[in-house]
Amino acid sequence: MENSKKMKWYTLAFMAFSTVWGFGNVLNGFVYFNGIQVIFSWVFMFALYFVPYALMVGELGSAFKDLGGGVSSWINETMGPKVAYYAGWTYWACHITYIASKSSGGLKALSWAVFRNAETYDTFPTLAVQLVTLAILLIFCWVASQGMNPLKSLATAAGSSMFVMSILFILMMFAAPVINPNGGYVSMDFSLKNIVPQFNVNYFTSLSILVFAVGGCEKISPYVNKVENPSKGFPRGMITLAIMVMVCAILGTIAMGMMFDPEVINENFSSYVSNGAYWAFQQLGEYYHVGDLLLVIYALCNMVGQLSTLVISIDAPLRMLLDNKDTQQFIPKALLKQNKHGAYVNGIKLVALLSGAIILVQSVVPGAAAVLTQLTKLNSVCMPLRYLWVFVAYIALRRQLDKFPAEYRFVKGQGLAMFFGCWCFAVTLACCIMGMYSTDLFTMVLNIATPIVLTALGLILPQIAKREAQ
């Protein structure tokens, strides 16, 4: 009777797929890795990083099936509350850059929905755009402070619609040559020399984009023990997830390759990073003779998704950091202050200050498209840093096997388990560090300074809390 309530392995796979994957991942891979050359990198990233990463998350979720706090809870159990504080801080701090990008992304999507072109938004003065972006951030910080989170369900709906649009793009693009054979498609060369990438500085400094794209599957860890026969069902679901994501990445890349010439992209790199997704749906609408209909639908879904995710990103990571009773001893009392709505008002002010600083610093960047390009790369450097704690937690778990029994184990051999934990940690850290490099000095300084400042702040707060306790 109990087993009848558990989900099938393929249900888990589809649930994880909609959580992990999105259309933006296809676009960024295509733009940053010279078109269809990214297929080579996708295959290796999935085989050598994503599959072991997902299966390690499964073992952690199985070992700590009664804990709902995710990575911070795993670290708290295996390494103690102080280290758990740093894990929670990292998760929150990584969202500072993400929050800045959501404000910019929402404004960009609105511009496309209204003006239906890239030129209008890109011709606005950068300072004016950044001030409006800052205003949007402050408004949504106020919304979060009022305990108003009806946008959570809206974000889920928008995320689902974006997922549907991603799949729809692939299906419609492959059908387009049959329906409209004279659409003017780009011919692709699948010869070995054109598929294997050039392993140069640009290649290695862009790998953080792919790590960022495939990360985040720790969100599904609470469902490990809700799967039928977890020891077999969960790995089957995760391997299916990896296959589904890889197929979508490859088919999506080919679909993009039918539309865009990599040489043209490289000549207008920043424009394609910030506008490529909109151009793709605009071009798809032309193939099907429906004008800008698909573009507008995508832009509106993206706008709602970006802005609703903004509120959740302000509120949820902050609660993960401050709600944990075990780690509150390392946090200054001022940050723990809550208003009548239960919102951490000073914490939200700190979010507004730090994310707002990134927005204002970028007001000196020439061109709105360049701002979004910078934020994409900055996110790829900062966001994967939170994945490091997943691998730290896994290594700590395997060192205490007797203390934390689990129904599901990724691998039985202790040496192999340690190898995979250290391997994924090293790959993540190396990609983040290499991703900081840029030929543009301002971008590189931003990529290096942001993690350093946020880390320093995370080290200072426990010292302030310690003085308060004396």
Side-chain angles (χ1 to χ4, degrees):
M1 187 69 181
E2 180 67 25
N3 201 49
S4 64
K5 296 180 181 179
K6 293 195 172 185
M7 69 173 71
K8 302 288 186 182
W9 61 268
Y10 50 81
T11 304
L12 178 78
F14 279 108
M15 182 191 302
F17 183 51
S18 60
T19 301
V20 170
W21 198 244
F23 185 70
N25 297 330
V26 177
L27 172 75
N28 287 335
F30 189 86
V31 172
Y32 276 89
F33 289 86
N34 203 34
I36 59 174
Q37 285 185 2
V38 74
I39 293 174
F40 177 93
S41 304
W42 276 131
V43 172
F44 276 88
M45 185 60 70
F46 288 126
L48 300 178
Y49 182 80
F50 181 63
V51 171
Y53 172 18
L55 297 178
M56 278 186 269
V57 165
E59 184 172 339
L60 284 161
S62 181
F64 305 111
K65 58 186 177 182
D66 298 322
L67 300 178
V71 180
S72 294
S73 298
W74 302 339
I75 294 290
N76 190 43
E77 291 296 310
T78 57
M79 302 183 75
K82 187 160 189 179
V83 184
Y85 157 76
Y86 289 119
W89 174 266
T90 304
Y91 188 86
W92 174 79
C94 288
H95 277 80
I96 294 299
T97 59
Y98 189 68
I99 287 166
S101 71
K102 291 293 112 177
S103 302
S104 296
L107 193 60
K108 179 72 174 180
L110 175 62
S111 171
W112 266 99
V114 174
F115 302 112
R116 304 181 189 182
N117 64 65
E119 291 73 26
T120 303
Y121 181 83
D122 291 345
T123 54
F124 291 144
T126 308
L127 178 59
V129 170
Q130 293 306 96
L131 288 176
V132 173
T133 303
L134 178 62
I136 291 172
L137 170 66
L138 296 177
I139 290 169
F140 279 84
C141 281
W142 177 82
V143 171
S145 73
Q146 298 305 300
M148 296 160 55
N149 281 327
L151 292 179
K152 285 186 178 180
S153 56
L154 196 59
T156 303
S160 300
S161 65
M162 289 290 286
F163 169 69
V164 170
M165 293 293 285
S166 302
I167 303 300
L168 196 63
F169 172 81
I170 295 172
L171 295 175
M172 292 182 72
M173 195 58 219
F174 276 93
V178 177
I179 295 169
N180 183 7
N182 299 315
Y185 309 101
V186 176
S187 60
M188 290 173 284
D189 178 9
F190 286 98
S191 62
L192 190 62
K193 67 175 184 178
N194 201 45
I195 285 291
V196 178
Q198 296 180 355
F199 298 105
N200 52 25
V201 172
N202 186 59
Y203 178 85
F204 288 106
T205 56
S206 298
L207 283 175
S208 59
I209 294 287
L210 301 187
V211 172
F212 180 34
V214 300
C217 63
E218 63 272 9
K219 294 174 185 175
I220 60 165
S221 59
Y223 301 99
V224 177
N225 291 288
K226 295 180 181 178
V227 183
E228 286 184 2
N229 191 4
S231 62
K232 292 184 178 178
F234 187 82
R236 185 181 296 174
M238 288 299 95
I239 291 170
T240 303
L241 163 67
I243 293 170
M244 289 166 63
V245 170
M246 186 165 68
V247 168
C248 276
I250 293 172
L251 294 181
T253 298
I254 294 171
M256 282 274 179
M258 296 166 66
M259 278 186 169
F260 302 127
D261 184 344
E263 290 186 7
V264 177
I265 290 175
N266 292 334
E267 292 173 2
N268 304 275
F269 184 77
S270 291
S271 292
Y272 273 90
V273 172
S274 59
N275 300 299
Y278 302 102
W279 280 329
F281 278 95
Q282 189 173 48
Q283 187 68 40
L284 190 63
E286 291 178 10
Y287 293 148
Y288 282 84
H289 305 294
V290 293
D292 289 336
L293 177 63
L294 295 175
L295 162 67
V296 172
I297 292 173
Y298 174 79
L300 290 174
C301 288
N302 197 18
M303 181 190 72
V304 173
Q306 297 269 1
L307 295 180
S308 53
T309 303
L310 176 58
V311 171
I312 296 170
S313 298
I314 293 169
D315 182 69
L318 193 60
R319 289 186 182 279
M320 285 186 67
L321 173 65
L322 302 181
D323 273 349
N324 190 335
K325 300 296 182 185
D326 294 319
T327 61
Q328 284 184 352
Q329 58 183 305
F330 306 108
I331 298 167
K333 290 185 176 64
L335 284 178
L336 298 173
K337 180 183 177 183
Q338 293 176 279
N339 63 12
K340 62 181 181 180
H341 304 292
Y344 289 99
V345 284
N346 289 333
I348 292 173
K349 288 176 183 176
L350 185 59
V351 170
L353 176 66
L354 295 173
S355 293
I358 292 174
I359 291 170
L360 289 177
V361 162
Q362 290 186 303
S363 62
V364 300
V365 175
V371 169
L372 286 169
T373 303
Q374 277 189 349
L375 286 172
T376 300
K377 198 65 190 292
L378 184 59
N379 271 324
S380 78
V381 169
C382 292
M383 288 295 277
L385 290 173
R386 62 193 171 123
Y387 309 153
L388 293 173
W389 288 107
V390 175
F391 310 125
V392 169
Y394 183 72
I395 292 168
L397 169 68
R398 293 297 299 216
R399 293 177 67 180
Q400 306 171 68
L401 279 181
D402 296 337
K403 186 178 178 181
F404 303 108
E407 189 174 350
Y408 161 71
R409 293 292 183 196
F410 165 34
V411 288
K412 292 182 179 178
Q414 191 73 342
L416 195 58
M418 288 297 183
F419 167 77
F420 277 116
C422 294
W423 164 258
C424 288
F425 181 94
V427 168
T428 306
L429 184 60
C431 289
C432 289
I433 292 173
M434 288 189 296
M436 293 177 181
Y437 174 79
S438 174
T439 53
D440 179 69
L441 181 60
F442 181 84
T443 300
M444 186 161 71
V445 169
L446 190 65
N447 289 345
I448 295 172
T450 303
I452 290 175
V453 170
L454 292 174
T455 300
L457 188 57
L459 294 171
I460 290 169
L461 293 187
Q463 300 304 317
I464 298 174
K466 186 177 180 180
R467 287 188 178 183
E468 288 180 345
Q470 289 176 350

